């Protein structure tokens, strides 16, 4: 963020109706900016507005971040993350972890009674600046995720649909709504928190670590975390490809082997969103030009890499890759999901019939529509690669059908269904049900995912018996 307190300009008479507004009204307007960039544009545009900002800059930034993050819950996480170092592996890691979780669960910054906005004087200027920078980075990646995903959907629609008026009317690729951006930024905060809790390396007792942190989030929140983790991991790989492809962007150690350079690149970037943010901006911005001038060639390379991977994902030829590898690849995590997150006894009634009636409903009113629709509103706690129960060659099933279900769920996850509002999600399912991503027609039925999970879980249980 620019240094806003270097010069306070000399005031002059109002030159427009905006400048003539009461200072309290101008303060509210500045606090309602959608980004720090918009706020800075306001401040630079007028000496009078700049003076209003300087008179209450801490309060304005605090309120702006609160509104951008859509409320106290996400703002509390952002404040905590600015104060929280990664859990130390020195000494007793488990005790260190439990201590940080205790602090997180009991962290309650003082707020204004009527608005719920944290009190700026309690936070301090340095903390507020850190929160503002974090919010800016979160919004950047939320918008980038939406840009790549929705832009790809729009391209596929243009390619597959003969009636172009249907594309315009659908507004599938419309800009993010406030609630959609809030889901993405909150999920990114949760992703950051998981990395803070993990520390600088994977814990030795992985199963104990997972058992300690999994109650912090609902299943749909873990799905959001894993989806964004896959996006960030792949984005870092795309950036590496750009650096390799463009001589001007290659690192100085060009003699290193590609594998070694790739490992070094990932270790620098992951999970440091601020580093990825800086590298991405330096890659796609034109040197010497004003901020925001995009190098179309470099951005085109990133876009093509993304689209090639997207085509693979939506055709069943590619799979999710995660930086948090234990989220999807460890046996202990799968056992934990099966034993703790999907108690089989809760799915069986007194007569031994598999049914959802015994499963409690999702308690949170913040769960996304697509998740509630797929799970029939029930609290079936699976996510990520465990959404489709693993079925080996020894099971007497239609394995082609099982592979198709893996493909369907991968498409549903990759498109980001757990982030979109109901209107956008329904239009995506309607448009792609029989065009482009034909297997998504299975996702139109209420409870489709829950029914599939129960079907394959029942087969596994019968086989074990």
């Amino acid at each position: 963020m620019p240094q806003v307190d270097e010069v306070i300009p000399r005031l002059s008479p109002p030159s427009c109706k905006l400048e003539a507004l009461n200072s309290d009204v101008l303060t509210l307007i500045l606090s309602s900016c959608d980004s720090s960039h918009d706020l800075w544009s306001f401040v630079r545009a007028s000496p009078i507005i700049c003076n209003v900002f300087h008179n209450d800059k801490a309060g304005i930034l605090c309120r702006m971040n609160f509104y951008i993050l859509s409320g106290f819950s996400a703002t509390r996480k952002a404040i905590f993350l600015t104060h929280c170092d990664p859990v130390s592996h020195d000494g007793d890691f488990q005790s260190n972890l439990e201590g940080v979780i205790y602090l997180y669960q009991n962290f309650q910054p003082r707020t204004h009674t009527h608005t719920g906005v944290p009190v700026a004087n309690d936070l301090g200027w340095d903390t507020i600046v850190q929160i503002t920078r974090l919010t800016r980075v979160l919004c950047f990646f939320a918008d980038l995720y939406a840009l790549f995903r929705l832009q790809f959907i729009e391209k596929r629609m243009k390619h597959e649909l003969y009636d172009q008026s249907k594309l315009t009317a659908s507004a599938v690729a419309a800009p993010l709504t406030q609630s959609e951006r809030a889901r993405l930024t909150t999920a990114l905060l949760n992703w950051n928190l998981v990395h803070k809790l993990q520390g600088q390396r994977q814990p030795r007792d992985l199963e104990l670590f997972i058992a300690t942190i999994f109650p912090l989030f609902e299943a749909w929140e873990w799905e959001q975390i894993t989806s964004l983790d896959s996006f960030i991991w792949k984005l870092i790989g795309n950036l590496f490809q750009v650096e390799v492809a463009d001589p001007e962007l290659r690192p100085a150690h060009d003699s290193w082997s590609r594998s070694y350079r790739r490992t070094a690149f990932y270790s620098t970037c992951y999970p440091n969103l601020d580093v990825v943010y800086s590298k991405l901006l330096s890659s796609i911005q034109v040197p010497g030009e004003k901020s925001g001038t995009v190098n179309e060639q470099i951005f085109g390379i990133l876009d093509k890499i993304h689209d090639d991977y997207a085509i693979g994902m939506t055709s069943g030829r590619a799979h999710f890759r995660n930086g948090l590898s234990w989220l999807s690849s460890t046996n202990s995590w799968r056992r934990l999901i099966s034993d703790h997150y999907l108690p089989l006894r809760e799915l069986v009634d007194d007569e031994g019939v598999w049914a959802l009636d015994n499963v409690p409903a999702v308690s949170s009113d913040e769960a996304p529509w697509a998740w509630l629709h797929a799970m029939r509103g029930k609290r079936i706690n699976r996510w990520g690669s465990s959404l489709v129960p693993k079925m080996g060659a020894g099971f007497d099933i239609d394995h082609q059908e099982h592979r198709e279900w893996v493909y369907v769920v991968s498409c549903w996850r990759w498109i980001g269904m757990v982030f979109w509002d109901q209107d956008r999600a329904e239009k995506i399912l309607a448009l792609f049900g029989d065009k482009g991503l034909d297997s998504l027609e299975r996702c139109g039925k209420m409870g489709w995912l829950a029914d599939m999970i129960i079907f394959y879980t029942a087969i596994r249980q019968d086989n074990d018996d």
Side-chain angles (χ1 to χ4, degrees):
M1 185 176 180
Q3 297 298 318
V4 296
D5 49 358
E6 293 178 351
V7 178
I8 300 179
R10 181 179 299 174
L11 298 184
S12 57
S15 60
C16 62
K17 292 182 178 180
L18 179 63
E19 291 184 336
L21 291 174
N22 182 283
S23 61
D24 290 340
V25 176
L26 287 174
T27 298
L28 289 175
I29 292 174
L30 294 177
S31 301
S32 301
C33 287
D34 291 333
S35 68
S36 55
H37 177 78
D38 291 346
L39 174 63
W40 184 236
S41 296
F42 257 120
V43 171
R44 295 185 64 187
S46 161
I48 292 177
I49 294 176
C50 183
N51 187 66
V52 170
F53 174 77
H54 275 279
N55 288 337
D56 187 24
K57 59 184 179 182
I60 288 172
L61 287 176
C62 214
R63 287 187 291 272
M64 181 190 71
N65 293 327
F66 180 85
Y67 296 135
I68 291 175
L69 296 174
S70 295
F72 175 74
S73 177
T75 305
R76 183 185 79 90
K77 291 178 184 178
I79 297 171
F80 181 80
L81 286 170
T82 61
H83 291 286
C84 175
D85 293 324
V87 175
S88 174
H89 285 259
D90 296 334
D92 188 345
F93 172 78
Q94 187 63 24
S95 296
N96 297 339
L97 172 65
E98 292 173 357
V100 173
I101 290 177
Y102 176 82
L103 291 175
Y104 167 70
Q105 293 175 327
N106 292 277
F107 178 67
Q108 292 293 331
R110 193 163 64 97
T111 62
H112 292 282
T113 304
H114 299 295
T115 63
V117 178
V119 177
N121 290 338
D122 288 0
L123 298 178
W125 175 246
D126 290 342
T127 297
I128 291 173
V129 171
Q130 289 183 59
I131 296 169
T132 303
R133 288 172 175 163
L134 174 60
T135 302
R136 178 181 61 187
V137 171
L138 294 176
C139 289
F140 174 84
F141 283 102
D143 290 338
L144 189 65
Y145 178 91
L147 172 67
F148 279 142
R149 292 301 194 260
L150 298 179
Q151 183 174 267
F152 176 75
I153 291 173
E154 185 176 28
K155 290 176 185 175
R156 289 299 298 266
M157 288 166 60
K158 288 180 177 179
H159 176 72
E160 299 288 349
L161 297 177
Y162 297 102
D163 183 3
Q164 293 299 309
S165 63
K166 192 176 182 182
L167 170 65
T168 304
S170 72
V172 167
L176 284 176
T177 66
Q178 183 176 2
S179 57
E180 289 172 332
R181 177 178 281 186
R183 286 190 202 99
L184 283 160
T185 54
T186 300
L188 285 165
L189 285 169
N190 293 339
W191 178 85
N192 271 282
L193 178 60
V194 170
H195 277 285
K196 293 280 190 180
L197 297 177
Q198 177 179 272
Q200 299 293 344
R201 63 178 185 269
Q202 184 170 291
R204 292 180 180 176
D205 192 339
L206 190 57
E207 190 162 347
L208 180 59
F209 169 71
I210 292 168
T212 304
I213 70 167
F214 86 84
L216 293 176
F217 306 110
E218 293 288 335
W220 56 269
E221 292 177 298
W222 279 114
E223 172 57 31
Q224 291 176 336
I225 291 169
T226 55
S227 293
L228 284 175
D229 185 65
S230 176
F231 170 73
I232 293 166
W233 186 257
K234 187 63 182 177
L235 179 63
I236 293 172
N238 295 352
L239 277 173
F240 176 75
Q241 290 189 54
V242 167
E243 288 206 355
V244 171
D246 191 331
E248 294 183 3
L249 295 173
R250 288 177 187 171
H253 304 285
D254 197 37
S255 60
W256 291 356
S257 70
R258 180 185 177 94
S259 176
Y260 189 89
R261 287 166 53 200
R262 183 182 182 89
T263 301
F265 191 83
Y266 268 97
S267 64
T268 301
C269 294
Y270 186 89
N272 306 310
L273 282 186
D274 54 340
V275 174
V276 182
Y277 174 76
S278 298
K279 281 184 172 293
L280 189 58
L281 288 187
S282 64
S283 296
I284 66 175
Q285 287 188 348
V286 178
E289 297 290 337
K290 63 179 182 179
S291 176
T293 304
V294 174
N295 185 325
E296 296 293 343
Q297 181 181 2
I298 298 299
F299 191 81
I301 294 173
L302 283 173
D303 191 37
K304 184 180 185 304
I305 294 171
H306 174 271
D307 283 359
D308 289 345
Y309 179 68
I311 291 171
M313 277 299 308
T314 54
S315 63
R317 297 195 302 271
H319 303 282
F320 278 90
R321 291 287 303 277
N322 295 300
L324 292 170
S325 58
W326 50 264
L327 281 173
S328 59
S329 62
T330 61
N331 291 328
S332 59
W333 188 232
R334 291 170 183 162
R335 286 200 302 273
L336 186 67
I337 292 173
S338 299
D339 296 343
H340 296 270
Y341 260 26
L342 186 59
L344 301 180
R345 60 184 178 274
E346 293 186 9
L347 294 176
V348 183
D349 61 20
D350 295 336
E351 298 179 357
V353 178
W354 291 81
L356 281 172
D357 295 341
N358 299 331
V359 181
V362 174
S363 57
S364 174
D365 57 1
E366 297 178 357
W369 174 85
W371 185 265
L372 295 173
H373 175 264
M375 294 296 192
R376 210 185 299 275
K378 297 294 186 176
R379 196 168 184 263
I380 298 180
N381 294 311
R382 284 175 175 259
W383 59 85
S385 61
S386 291
L387 283 172
V388 183
K390 302 298 185 291
M391 307 297 291
F395 290 96
D396 185 17
I397 61 169
D398 183 341
H399 288 279
Q400 177 61 32
E401 176 78 4
H402 184 263
R403 284 192 292 271
E404 288 182 5
W405 271 119
V406 173
Y407 159 52
V408 169
V409 173
S410 294
C411 289
W412 183 83
R413 293 186 64 214
W414 185 88
I415 290 174
M417 295 296 287
V418 289
F419 296 111
W420 313 134
D421 288 343
Q422 179 176 352
D423 181 58
R424 193 193 304 271
E426 287 182 323
K427 285 172 179 174
I428 289 174
L429 292 180
L431 283 167
F432 286 99
D434 57 359
K435 291 287 185 181
L437 305 179
D438 50 280
S439 291
L440 282 188
E441 61 186 344
R442 301 188 186 198
C443 306
K445 177 187 173 185
M446 177 72 170
W448 65 273
L449 188 51
D451 293 343
M452 180 271 292
I453 290 173
I454 287 180
F455 174 76
Y456 286 115
T457 303
I459 294 175
R460 290 187 63 91
Q461 177 72 357
D462 291 343
N463 189 74
D464 293 340
D465 292 343

